[in-house]
Amino acid sequence: MTLEEFRTQLRRHKLKATRQRLAVHEVMMELGHASADQVQETLRQRGAAVTVASVYNILAQLADQRIYGRRLSATNKMFFDINNSLHIHLYDRENHTYRDLMDDELQNLVNAHLKRRKFKGYTVEDIDIQLIARPTTRKTKTQ
Ligand SMILES: [Zn+2]
């Protein structure tokens, strides 16, 4: 989502394009998936004095409006996702990072399977596929 598309989304949800929201989005454009701490740290490095609480509030509000996605990591940390469309995640359980996987074949298999399934008393509203993985290459020690 470009800065211009982000501005359009804000307008659509009657949110003002404040300097802080735009700064948060610019960081999210680089990080893709990030916690409020990570976004605040990047902003701090660039000389912007914003508290983690303010950053969290901005991210949570954007997620409430479904402008961003939101995921809870295995360490119970809330991560926000700039990509709010349907996609598969690969979660790195050692580094606690997310990667988007574009795998239409897997998504279509699951969708086709679930189309035939019924869950008594429930309507499936959303499908969230996350692969949990660990890195195969270990970092080598530098002397
Ligand atoms: Zn994602």
Side-chain angles (χ1 to χ4, degrees):
M1 196 191 321
T2 65
L3 205 56
E4 217 30 66
E5 289 165 344
F6 181 66
R7 282 176 185 274
T8 305
Q9 286 287 323
L10 290 177
R11 256 196 310 275
R12 188 172 297 156
H13 292 92
K14 300 193 180 359
L15 295 171
K16 283 201 170 75
T18 62
R19 221 179 48 191
Q20 282 197 346
R21 283 187 185 127
L22 295 174
V24 164
H25 185 68
E26 277 185 281
V27 172
M28 286 299 287
M29 280 168 68
E30 292 166 36
L31 301 179
H33 308 86
S35 65
D37 301 22
Q38 292 169 333
V39 173
Q40 191 268 345
E41 177 56 24
T42 305
L43 287 170
R44 194 192 59 75
Q45 285 169 5
R46 292 173 186 176
V50 195
T51 64
V52 174
S54 304
V55 170
Y56 185 87
N57 288 340
I58 290 170
L59 291 167
Q61 190 180 37
L62 294 170
D64 287 346
Q65 300 295 324
R66 293 179 180 244
I67 297 172
Y68 285 174
R70 144 165 60 197
R71 321 190 57 77
L72 195 60
S73 78
T75 53
N76 272 324
K77 195 179 263 262
M78 191 60 78
F79 278 77
F80 296 88
D81 190 345
I82 196 167
N83 184 352
N84 66 358
S85 64
L86 188 65
H87 62 283
I88 300 168
H89 283 103
L90 185 124
Y91 176 65
D92 177 333
R93 72 183 334 163
E94 283 182 15
N95 300 300
H96 306 291
T97 54
Y98 293 95
R99 239 174 69 187
D100 288 344
L101 289 186
M102 298 307 151
D103 190 336
D104 291 344
E105 196 181 345
L106 176 57
Q107 191 77 56
N108 291 340
L109 269 171
V110 172
N111 290 351
H113 176 77
L114 289 176
K115 221 174 231 174
R116 299 189 301 265
R117 291 278 328 254
K118 291 259 183 277
F119 302 93
K120 202 171 179 202
Y122 290 95
T123 303
V124 175
E125 290 192 320
D126 210 354
I127 299 165
D128 186 358
I129 304 173
Q130 175 170 295
L131 309 181
I132 300 158
R134 63 180 165 76
T136 47
T137 48
R138 298 265 168 201
K139 282 182 193 121
T140 49
K141 272 187 192 161
T142 47
Q143 297 290 357

